Amino acid sequence: MNATEDRAVSELQPIVLKGKRALVLGIANEHSIAYGCARVFRRLGAEVAITYANEKSRAYVEPLAKELGAPIFRQCDVSKPGDLEAVFEDVKSTWGSLDIALHSIAFAPKDDLQGRVVDSSAVGFGIAMDISCHSFIRMARLAEPLMPNGGTLLCMSYNGANKVVPNYNLMGPVKAALESAVRYLAFELGDKQIRVHAISPGPLKTRAASGIKDFDLLLNEASERAPIGELVDIDDVGLTTAFLTTPFARRLTGTVTYVDGGLSIMA
Ligand code: NAD
């Protein structure tokens, strides 16, 4: 964000997310998309709860949680039974209710991620689906009782869900399932005013992205072919994600919103 844009965002603070409480899952370090989202939520006035996946990542996430003034900071490995439930217990006892829950988590075992979909193992596919998709559904289930006055559930997808992106491999079908889950959850939770969205960012250099073979080629292609002509950054993703949580988007649900400088419209 440049200084003018930054000032514009800060000036919105009193009216946009003040008093809102946001749970953010998926910060690994300062490059994480989830950190960009948490930073914008905070700048717009929300309080944020932050988790880290394991002891190794704690050292990178703790200073960010401090900077964001997070009243809740705890470990959560979504593949460990009880971890996600414990986070929601903490949210309940600290805040009593929740307005926003963001899932920015993906994982696939390396051999399966870097091999052909045709060769993917049942175990690897299952792990990728559980951590990257079903944990979003579990998050939604736990958030529902804490959102008696409505709220917004958000997750991160990628255009490899719809189009074949070489080297994205089994994450393509997994993200397709995630986008479909967004639509079903939006349908099932709509009468409670709980809105559900996927955000689909263009390529960003993060730790998760480093597991994708030849990821630098995707970055080069994005900056050359996107109509806006620049790579997106984590603040760009954060701003659009925050928009979806506001009354400006109160009649939107079940969408997949591209934050990719227009890359996905290109043939
Ligand atoms: P990242 O590595 O910063 O974030 C991925 C997060 O997933 C990490 O915080 C990691 O700890 C967490 N995670 C993995 N397994 C977990 C588990 N079992 N329990 C809890 N957390 C776990 O990378 P990122 O690029 O910020 O990824 C965030 C999301 O954005 C992912 O869903 C990814 O697919 C999506 N996405 C990324 C890009 C990109 O180009 N980087 C593009 C589109 C979508």
Side-chain angles (χ1 to χ4, degrees), residues 110-151:
K110 195 171 174 194
D111 285 350
D112 290 290
L113 178 62
Q114 298 195 341
R116 303 186 308 168
V117 176
V118 102
D119 299 320
S120 62
S121 69
V123 171
F125 196 95
I127 291 172
M129 194 63 113
D130 181 64
I131 294 177
S132 317
C133 177
H134 193 261
S135 67
F136 177 63
I137 296 172
R138 296 198 288 278
M139 185 194 84
R141 185 160 61 234
L142 291 161
E144 181 183 5
L146 295 182
M147 294 182 162
N149 302 315

Side-chain angles (χ1 to χ4, degrees), residues 14-227:
I15 54 162
V16 181
L17 293 180
K18 196 165 183 207
K20 300 292 181 194
R21 285 149 170 180
L23 170 64
V24 175
L25 307 175
I27 301 182
N29 53 43
E30 76 274 22
H31 305 295
S32 294
I33 291 171
Y35 175 54
C37 295
R39 193 160 63 184
V40 175
F41 292 161
R42 192 77 191 102
R43 218 173 271 171
L44 295 177
E47 280 188 278
V48 290
I50 303 296
T51 65
Y52 56 96
N54 51 47
E55 275 311 311
K56 230 168 101 184
S57 57
R58 181 181 182 139
Y60 300 96
V61 185
E62 194 160 18
L64 306 177
K66 285 207 173 111
E67 169 207 305
L68 295 165
I72 299 168
F73 175 64
R74 62 172 301 142
Q75 198 251 326
C76 175
D77 178 339
V78 294
S79 69
K80 283 199 187 144
D83 268 23
L84 199 52
E85 286 77 2
V87 171
F88 277 87
E89 275 309 311
D90 234 9
V91 168
K92 191 176 174 188
S93 59
T94 308
W95 284 336
S97 65
L98 189 64
D99 302 288
I100 298 162
L102 168 69
H103 178 286
S104 186
I105 291 174
F107 177 80
K110 195 171 174 194
D111 285 350
D112 290 290
L113 178 62
Q114 298 195 341
R116 303 186 308 168
V117 176
V118 102
D119 299 320
S120 62
S121 69
V123 171
F125 196 95
I127 291 172
M129 194 63 113
D130 181 64
I131 294 177
S132 317
C133 177
H134 193 261
S135 67
F136 177 63
I137 296 172
R138 296 198 288 278
M139 185 194 84
R141 185 160 61 234
L142 291 161
E144 181 183 5
L146 295 182
M147 294 182 162
N149 302 315
T152 317
L153 307 174
L154 302 144
C155 62
M156 292 296 153
S157 188
Y158 177 60
N159 197 25
N162 304 300
K163 301 272 171 65
V164 175
V165 177
N167 296 319
Y168 200 57
N169 303 341
L170 95 167
M171 285 311 294
V174 169
K175 292 294 192 191
L178 181 66
E179 291 186 6
S180 180
V182 162
R183 290 185 284 272
Y184 279 86
L185 295 177
F187 167 66
E188 292 172 2
L189 299 173
D191 62 351
K192 298 191 167 157
Q193 305 302 315
I194 298 175
R195 301 180 299 105
V196 190
H197 293 288
I199 294 91
S200 186
L204 285 134
K205 217 172 170 121
T206 62
R207 206 184 68 189
S210 68
I212 294 165
K213 227 172 116 227
D214 292 334
F215 187 74
D216 282 345
L217 297 180
L218 276 186
L219 287 172
N220 292 342
E221 196 214 355
S223 60
E224 279 165 19
R225 297 185 63 236

